Amino acid sequence: MNISALLTSSGINTAVCAVLFSLYSILRKQPSLVSVYFGQKLAQVRSKRNDPFWLQRFIPSASWIVKSWVASEEELFATGGLDAVVFLRAVVFSIRVFSVAGVICLFLVLPLNYFGKEEHKHIRDEQLSVFTIEDVKEGSRWLWAHCLALYVISSCACILLYFYKSITKMRLAYITASHSHPSHFTVLVRAIPWSQEESYGVKVAKFFTDYYSSSYLSHQMIYHSGAVQKLMTDAEKIYNMLKSNSMDQHYGSRLLRCGFCGGTSTSFKILSPEPENGRTTSCLDSPDLREKECGVALVFFRTRYAALVASEGLQQPNPMSWVTDLAPEPSDIYWSNLYVPYRIFWIRKIAILVAFILFVTFFLIPVVFTQSLVHLDKVEKIFPFMKDITERRFMKQLITGYLPSVILMIFLSIVPPIMMVFSTLEGSISRSGRKRSTCIKVLYFVIWNVFFANILTEAAIDHYQDSIMKLGDPKTIPNQLAKAVPSTATFFVTYVLTSGWASLSCELIQPFPLLYNSFYRFILRNKDDSSYGSYTFPYHTEVPRVLLFGLLGFTCSVLAPLILPFLLVYFFLAYLVYRNQILDVYVTKYQSGGLYWPIIHNTTIFSLVLTQIIALGVFGIKRSPIASSFTIPLIICTLLFHEYCRQRFHPVFKKTPAKTIIDMDREDEHSGRMEEIYQKLPSAYFQINSESRSLGKSLELNCPEIQANSRETGNISRLEDLETPGKMSARLP
């Protein structure tokens, strides 16, 4: 690829970004699109934007940029939670590291690369390889500059990672600030042994009364979704019957207090907040429902420490029964996976691993195709008929500079939904855990298929005519990879332009919600925004993208510094776009409490070590023993730093400190809040699936007593998280 092809790709992507950014600044002012660009909470706001003659609605403006820039971290934390703060810290980390790398590599390494050889063509006809370390002569005494730049970048990255230990303190503060979280007192018990003599509920009560008699409070069984759906349907029928017929006030009162539970009149019971004989009586404990119990239960304890001990311990010698974990938050729990028998999850994981490997292997086809377009001159030697297509100069620049990254980006768009299905089948018990598992899978996928697969394909294409057997020799693989990385860097530059800049533009526009909103309003003629579903932040797609670009930045910074300006532009735009999306677009329904930071930290260390190993191979190829010998201690120091961080900071993200929760228990006991917490625990977890959510909302709105109870317990109003118009109007840009 030459400079002209790079400029063609850069010009196309810059024009696309400028158009979409301007279009976004107009679309966000339209009252009919408030639900798309400001979330469900702002859909009912009436403001001067409803005035059809307000001409400013159709003029592009940068007000959203100013708002995103001036927003404080406290505002982001209040809106998006700790996960949003951690994610934006990763973006800021990348800006700082690559700013340092850009100054050193662009003003020191890049000139040395370009003038490594004396003969050069006209700048427009130059191949991008002249700006890489490929252009440096073997045995050059200037390779010490590359080694020095590698030391500076690695040291800067490690220092910043260490000072980001403040995220550990934020994680601890997040735990201590959650006094009212019922998950701290709740343990999810799965794989309860089945017995013909006793129901699951009786076995749970006996087991925890026997072994945790001093700390066991009560429990709540999990029922199959069909049973819950039947209860919701029965409740709706009974409520409609009560509404149409005049009935006894006492009888009606009893029904209204338990409007979510169907059955006969004698089966309706008021849920007592006080435990009775170590177990709370539930309105779901009728004999008919015992047959529909799952082997899963939510067990409530009197203290946080007791729940932590019960969740960490092995309950029986057989580890496949009485499996305990701390329960997720009520809004975070993924009910569908609780109905699946625990014993089959290990089979699912093996099947998913095999499916993942097959999918990765299948994806090599578009990777090979895109790399063949990048190296069109080499492909023409293998397939002569391609010369007829590339006779025109502009067509060749378009094919080599823009088309490959676009094709790869289109294929990559199907990866996150597939990985989400894989993570769901694996059996995650929380929505945040499922999204985090998807994030890891997508990260593995893109690192292999975008980075390693492209490098291997480059090596295969480059040495196709020389000798296929030479490429397959294990002794030559390190050298071939070290040669292929600088060559592939030219493709990575265009990939940053297309997948980076263009993806941020699409993130702003929100094309799929925009199309859905237009179809809902103009085709179905429905003007009600309340039914529009809000979205949570897609960490499973954005975290891997940021980390992949970080990997590309580290590995190419010394070998091909030309990528750094394009990366810096991407990260600056990402900083503004993601802040805007967190503040205005996405609704935080659940969060992991900063558990994305270990993923970010580990991937950064992996990127640094991989960069150092590749640089070591390149220095060996260039016959620079001094640079090679100085790189080895750098690899060792980076690994030691990672081990220190793993021992010092990472355990806080895996386990909850006992001292912290004991202090919280003591504080609640002294202040008298424990009794209030005990009263709310039995009704905190409301088993409701997506099919019956609308029915639950309808019953809540039509039933005053249910509505009052939901406000008190947070069962339904927390799911909706509605705000008053006054609050919403204050948040308008």
Side-chain angles (χ1 to χ4, degrees):
M1 184 190 300
N2 55 24
I3 296 292
S4 298
L6 176 62
L7 293 176
T8 301
S9 177
S10 178
I12 293 174
N13 285 284
T14 302
V16 169
C17 288
V19 171
L20 292 182
F21 274 51
S22 301
L23 181 62
Y24 166 74
S25 66
I26 295 175
L27 292 177
R28 70 193 301 269
K29 300 176 184 179
Q30 310 308 312
S32 61
L33 300 178
V34 170
S35 59
V36 176
Y37 297 113
F38 296 98
Q40 188 176 12
K41 297 179 183 179
L42 303 178
Q44 305 301 323
V45 175
R46 298 186 61 85
S47 65
K48 64 181 180 179
R49 298 170 186 213
N50 290 330
D51 183 6
F53 301 103
W54 188 45
L55 297 181
Q56 192 176 351
R57 285 171 46 195
F58 305 100
I59 300 175
S61 64
S63 60
W64 68 273
I65 297 179
V66 177
K67 180 186 175 184
S68 301
W69 180 265
V70 301
S72 64
E73 193 170 81
E74 289 74 17
E75 293 180 73
L76 293 167
F77 180 83
T79 306
L82 184 56
D83 288 342
V85 174
V86 166
F87 174 69
L88 290 172
R89 286 282 185 98
V91 177
V92 173
F93 167 82
S94 300
I95 293 175
R96 291 173 176 172
V97 169
F98 294 121
S99 295
V100 174
V103 172
I104 295 175
C105 295
L106 292 177
F107 293 100
L108 176 63
V109 176
L110 186 64
L112 294 178
N113 290 343
Y114 184 74
F115 294 106
K117 295 180 181 178
E118 297 179 357
E119 296 181 1
H120 288 285
K121 303 177 182 178
H122 188 272
I123 189 66
R124 290 187 59 186
D125 298 325
E126 287 280 17
Q127 295 294 317
L128 293 182
S129 59
V130 301
F131 298 101
T132 69
I133 202 171
E134 275 188 313
D135 205 46
V136 179
K137 296 179 180 179
E138 293 184 0
S140 173
R141 59 189 179 89
W142 294 109
L143 287 171
W144 66 266
H146 298 76
C147 185
L148 176 63
L150 186 63
Y151 261 87
V152 172
I153 294 170
S154 301
S155 301
C156 179
C158 291
I159 291 172
L160 286 174
L161 285 176
Y162 177 77
F163 281 111
Y164 274 18
K165 63 184 180 181
S166 59
I167 296 179
T168 306
K169 298 178 181 178
M170 297 173 67
R171 166 72 179 172
L172 293 173
Y174 168 81
I175 296 173
T176 56
S178 56
H179 276 279
S180 60
H181 286 191
S183 60
H184 292 177
F185 296 86
T186 310
V187 172
L188 180 67
V189 183
R190 294 182 287 174
I192 303 171
W194 180 78
S195 174
Q196 289 183 345
E197 293 79 16
E198 298 175 331
S199 66
Y200 286 123
V202 174
K203 290 183 71 68
V204 171
K206 286 185 177 180
F207 182 87
F208 285 95
T209 303
D210 189 13
Y211 295 104
Y212 295 90
S213 57
S214 61
S215 57
Y216 170 63
L217 180 65
S218 63
H219 75 271
Q220 175 181 318
M221 295 306 301
I222 303 298
Y223 296 87
H224 289 285
S225 59
V228 177
Q229 181 64 41
K230 182 178 183 301
L231 291 173
M232 302 289 290
T233 306
D234 291 345
E236 185 182 32
K237 291 179 180 178
I238 293 174
Y239 178 75
N240 291 333
M241 180 179 63
L242 290 174
K243 192 175 181 180
S244 59
N245 300 306
S246 58
M247 284 191 169
D248 169 13
Q249 180 66 27
H250 173 68
Y251 180 71
S253 175
R254 290 173 59 195
L255 286 176
L256 289 175
R257 287 195 182 96
C258 195
F260 288 105
C261 306
T264 62
S265 60
T266 58
S267 66
F268 286 89
K269 299 179 182 179
I270 300 175
L271 186 64
S272 173
E274 297 295 334
E276 181 181 349
N277 297 327
R279 183 173 182 268
T280 300
T281 302
S282 171
C283 60
L284 294 175
D285 269 346
S286 64
D288 295 337
L289 290 175
R290 288 177 182 174
E291 299 178 358
K292 299 178 181 179
E293 289 177 342
C294 299
V296 184
L298 294 164
V299 180
F300 307 111
F301 288 83
R302 295 183 180 277
T303 62
R304 298 175 178 86
Y305 181 71
L308 180 65
V309 171
S311 66
E312 295 289 342
L314 190 63
Q315 305 302 323
Q316 279 196 353
N318 179 11
M320 293 293 289
S321 65
W322 296 101
V323 180
T324 53
D325 298 284
L326 274 179
E329 282 298 302
S331 59
D332 189 21
I333 195 166
Y334 192 71
W335 295 101
S336 298
N337 276 342
L338 300 186
Y339 312 140
V340 182
Y342 179 80
R343 63 182 179 273
I344 71 171
F345 280 129
W346 70 274
I347 302 176
R348 285 191 177 190
K349 290 181 180 179
I350 295 176
I352 289 168
L353 178 61
V354 174
F356 180 82
I357 294 173
L358 293 176
F359 185 60
V360 170
T361 305
F362 168 78
F363 208 84
L364 290 175
I365 298 174
V367 171
V368 172
F369 178 68
T370 55
Q371 272 299 314
S372 65
L373 294 179
V374 174
H375 301 280
L376 203 57
D377 52 343
K378 298 176 183 177
V379 176
E380 288 174 354
K381 298 177 182 178
I382 304 173
F383 303 104
F385 67 89
M386 294 289 293
K387 293 181 179 179
D388 298 334
I389 304 176
T390 59
E391 287 182 352
R392 296 183 179 181
R393 182 183 181 90
F394 176 77
M395 184 63 68
K396 187 173 184 178
Q397 293 174 358
L398 184 66
I399 293 176
T400 58
Y402 183 70
L403 197 58
S405 53
V406 172
I407 294 174
L408 185 59
M409 187 179 69
I410 292 173
F411 276 101
L412 285 174
S413 63
I414 68 173
V415 174
I418 294 176
M419 296 303 158
M420 181 66 79
V421 173
F422 287 171
S423 297
T424 302
L425 294 176
E426 275 185 340
S428 177
I429 61 175
S430 66
R431 299 180 184 275
S432 60
R434 181 183 63 157
K435 185 172 286 189
R436 196 167 62 254
S437 176
T438 305
C439 172
I440 296 173
K441 289 181 177 63
V442 174
L443 182 62
Y444 287 160
F445 188 92
V446 296
I447 286 178
W448 169 253
N449 277 288
V450 176
F451 186 77
F452 287 107
N454 276 286
I455 291 174
L456 294 173
T457 305
E458 157 68 23
I461 294 176
D462 192 39
H463 296 274
Y464 177 81
Q465 290 182 315
D466 296 341
S467 175
I468 296 295
M469 298 301 296
K470 183 180 178 181
L471 180 63
D473 187 0
K475 297 180 181 179
T476 65
I477 289 178
N479 290 339
Q480 300 300 336
L481 290 179
K483 292 179 181 178
V485 170
S487 301
T488 318
T490 58
F491 166 74
F492 292 150
V493 172
T494 60
Y495 182 77
V496 170
L497 286 170
T498 304
S499 181
W501 295 13
S503 67
L504 290 176
S505 303
C506 292
E507 173 63 32
L508 270 180
I509 292 295
Q510 295 284 296
F512 294 110
L514 184 62
L515 291 174
Y516 173 80
N517 181 275
S518 301
F519 176 81
Y520 198 73
R521 281 181 167 272
F522 301 110
I523 305 299
L524 300 182
R525 300 292 183 180
N526 194 328
K527 305 298 183 181
D528 183 18
D529 288 332
S530 61
S531 59
Y532 179 79
S534 55
Y535 296 92
T536 57
F537 192 87
Y539 293 104
H540 61 295
T541 61
E542 304 311 313
V543 171
R545 180 179 284 115
V546 169
L547 294 179
L548 174 64
F549 288 152
L551 172 65
L552 298 180
F554 282 119
T555 53
C556 298
S557 56
V558 176
L559 306 181
L562 197 62
I563 196 175
L564 292 175
F566 302 100
L567 270 178
L568 280 173
V569 172
Y570 165 78
F571 284 119
F572 274 114
L573 291 176
Y575 179 75
L576 296 173
V577 170
Y578 289 136
R579 286 169 71 94
N580 176 78
Q581 302 300 88
I582 290 170
L583 289 171
D584 291 338
V585 177
Y586 296 110
V587 177
T588 304
K589 299 179 181 178
Y590 52 84
Q591 59 174 318
S592 68
L595 294 183
Y596 288 97
W597 180 249
I599 301 174
I600 296 170
H601 179 97
N602 294 336
T603 306
T604 303
I605 294 295
F606 169 79
S607 302
L608 283 174
V609 174
L610 181 63
T611 301
Q612 295 157 6
I613 293 175
I614 292 174
L616 179 64
V618 173
F619 293 152
I621 292 175
K622 295 296 181 180
R623 298 179 183 178
S624 177
I626 297 178
S628 299
S629 59
F630 273 96
T631 305
I632 295 175
L634 182 61
I635 298 175
I636 297 174
C637 291
T638 305
L639 292 175
L640 290 175
F641 170 76
H642 173 61
E643 182 61 21
Y644 169 76
C645 293
R646 194 178 69 84
Q647 298 290 338
R648 172 62 181 86
F649 303 117
H650 285 196
V652 176
F653 295 90
K654 296 180 179 179
K655 297 181 179 180
T656 305
K659 178 183 179 300
T660 302
I661 60 174
I662 290 174
D663 291 340
M664 294 171 66
D665 286 335
R666 289 175 178 173
E667 182 181 348
D668 287 339
E669 288 174 356
H670 293 159
S671 62
R673 285 197 297 261
M674 275 299 189
E675 291 301 323
E676 180 183 353
I677 293 175
Y678 293 160
Q679 292 176 4
K680 293 183 177 180
L681 276 177
S683 57
Y685 287 89
F686 181 70
Q687 186 179 351
I688 184 170
N689 56 22
S690 58
E691 296 176 357
S692 55
R693 181 171 300 173
S694 60
L695 175 58
K697 180 180 177 182
S698 174
L699 286 174
E700 181 200 12
L701 295 176
N702 294 324
C703 181
E705 297 194 24
I706 293 175
Q707 189 177 18
N709 181 64
S710 66
R711 289 198 189 99
E712 179 182 354
T713 61
N715 288 340
I716 300 176
S717 60
R718 182 171 54 253
L719 293 174
E720 301 303 326
D721 195 22
L722 297 174
E723 290 185 345
T724 60
K727 291 182 180 179
M728 291 187 288
S729 60
R731 294 178 53 190
L732 278 174

